[in-house]
Amino acid sequence: FAKFRKAYQDALPAYKAIMFQFIFNGVPFKMDDIMQIYQNIYDSLDQNERLLDYLYNMLPSEDDLTYAHCLNSALIAGLFASWFSLSEANTQLLIQCAFFYDIGKLKLPNELIWKVGKLTDVEFEKIKTHTILGFQMLQDLPVSAHILKAALMHHERYDGSGYPSRLHDVQIDIYARYISIIDAYEAMTSARTYRESKHPFQVIEIFEKDVHKYDIELLRPIMFRLANHMVGLNVLLSNDQIAEVILINQNQMGRPLVRLKDGTFIDLTTRKDINIKGIY
């Protein structure tokens, strides 16, 4: 983790400097420089899947939150791309989409983007403009159309409930559909000064509840890999007992079969009164 943290702490200001110069001073960026930042962090990992565990422990300063959100999303995109079974070329494109899809937020005030309490209707309408702002910043650059569409469409939802255009299912660019999952995962699992990050089973339960909002064919392998990554780990239950994750229930991946220290099994799909509070 120390090696990863050092690489991450070197990379974040480098990424921030490039993006700040592009967004506020109009200085063109080199995609190779952006991708090298990604590679430097990945080179610090001895196992790629440890990335998710390591990111749980990173808490950037409030001034860096939006930049860190984009950087984290790009790192997660590299891992999720293998879970999506993407080719190397498509993996590189997905990572590039993740680096740039949310840059419109950098044009909005930090105190609005990261407001702790509930947004007013006016504030939410202002937040929603970041998709169009990001598209406008990128539209004249020599980048893939998928990068432009990821910026514009990543808050569209498969059931047509998203914004800015209320597109649905395959009307939404496939890279924007990938990014919508990555964006939601990163937002839920990143710690903030005002709240703790959600653990994978909480994330999976939220995805299962909102499954109609995402392309299920893309979401299913992510939930499956997240859940199976937890098998064999100990969890703290809401009744303060410690249990080991034994088996993932395929119909409710967020509620596994667990075993207490005395050998007793609890199927959380049938024990709705018990939840997983934390993972060890």
Side-chain angles (χ1 to χ4, degrees):
F1 174 69
K3 185 178 179 183
F4 168 83
R5 181 172 58 190
K6 173 66 166 59
Y8 185 95
Q9 290 174 341
D10 289 343
L12 181 56
Y15 172 67
K16 180 179 179 179
I18 292 172
M19 297 309 297
F20 185 91
Q21 289 284 53
F22 166 62
I23 293 167
F24 298 105
N25 297 327
V27 178
F29 60 84
K30 295 180 180 178
M31 189 64 79
D32 286 348
D33 292 341
I34 298 286
M35 295 304 290
Q36 188 58 54
I37 288 171
Y38 166 88
Q39 195 60 50
N40 289 344
I41 298 177
Y42 255 84
D43 286 346
S44 74
L45 294 167
D46 55 351
Q47 294 180 32
N48 287 356
E49 292 199 2
R50 289 192 176 177
L51 170 75
L52 301 183
D53 299 327
Y54 290 167
L55 286 178
Y56 280 129
N57 296 292
M58 304 303 295
L59 182 59
S61 68
E62 291 190 8
D63 288 343
D64 289 341
L65 280 176
T66 304
Y67 294 99
H69 171 62
C70 295
L71 176 59
N72 292 354
S73 294
L75 294 171
I76 293 165
L79 177 61
F80 280 16
S82 66
W83 297 358
F84 290 134
S85 299
L86 297 186
S87 68
E88 178 60 28
N90 290 339
T91 294
Q92 295 296 305
L93 180 53
L94 181 61
I95 294 166
Q96 292 170 15
C97 288
F99 267 121
F100 291 101
Y101 77 95
D102 240 4
I103 63 169
K105 284 183 177 176
L106 294 168
K107 284 283 193 179
L108 300 176
N110 249 12
E111 58 269 23
L112 173 62
I113 296 295
W114 303 108
K115 181 179 176 180
V116 175
K118 182 177 174 59
L119 293 170
T120 66
D121 290 345
V122 172
E123 288 171 333
F124 185 51
E125 289 303 314
K126 183 68 173 177
I127 289 282
K128 290 198 292 187
T129 65
H130 80 275
T131 56
I132 296 171
L133 288 172
F135 175 83
Q136 290 172 338
M137 282 188 277
L138 295 166
Q139 64 180 343
D140 294 327
L141 299 178
V143 297
S144 166
H146 292 296
I147 295 176
L148 300 178
K149 291 176 182 178
L152 184 63
M153 300 179 182
H154 65 275
H155 279 290
E156 301 289 358
R157 292 295 176 255
Y158 212 67
D159 63 355
S161 65
Y163 64 85
S165 301
R166 299 186 70 84
L167 303 178
H168 58 84
D169 51 72
V170 295
Q171 290 179 324
I172 307 167
D173 181 78
I174 187 154
Y175 282 86
R177 281 180 265 156
Y178 287 133
I179 290 294
S180 68
I181 296 170
I182 293 166
D183 178 59
Y185 174 86
E186 202 287 329
M188 287 189 278
T189 57
S190 291
R192 301 285 179 254
T193 54
Y194 53 85
R195 64 153 173 82
E196 293 183 349
S197 59
K198 297 187 184 303
H199 62 69
F201 286 118
Q202 290 173 317
V203 171
I204 292 166
E205 283 204 274
I206 292 170
F207 273 139
E208 289 178 327
K209 177 184 175 183
D210 294 339
V211 68
H212 54 285
K213 296 181 180 181
Y214 303 95
D215 185 336
I216 186 58
E217 295 305 314
L218 307 184
L219 182 58
R220 186 181 291 113
I222 300 304
M223 293 194 298
F224 177 81
R225 293 294 290 266
L226 288 174
N228 279 278
H229 186 56
M230 298 295 109
V231 172
L233 298 184
N234 288 333
V235 294
L236 175 65
L237 302 178
S238 55
N239 61 7
D240 292 328
Q241 291 181 297
I242 302 294
E244 180 186 358
V245 177
I246 300 299
L247 182 69
I248 301 303
N249 290 303
Q250 295 304 307
N251 293 326
Q252 292 187 59
M253 295 186 196
R255 302 191 67 80
L257 177 72
V258 300
R259 181 173 58 201
L260 303 178
K261 290 185 176 181
D262 65 5
T264 303
F265 289 91
I266 300 177
D267 185 349
L268 295 179
T269 62
T270 62
R271 290 294 304 272
K272 302 299 185 183
D273 57 316
I274 301 177
N275 297 303
I276 294 175
K277 288 173 59 175
I279 294 173
Y280 292 86

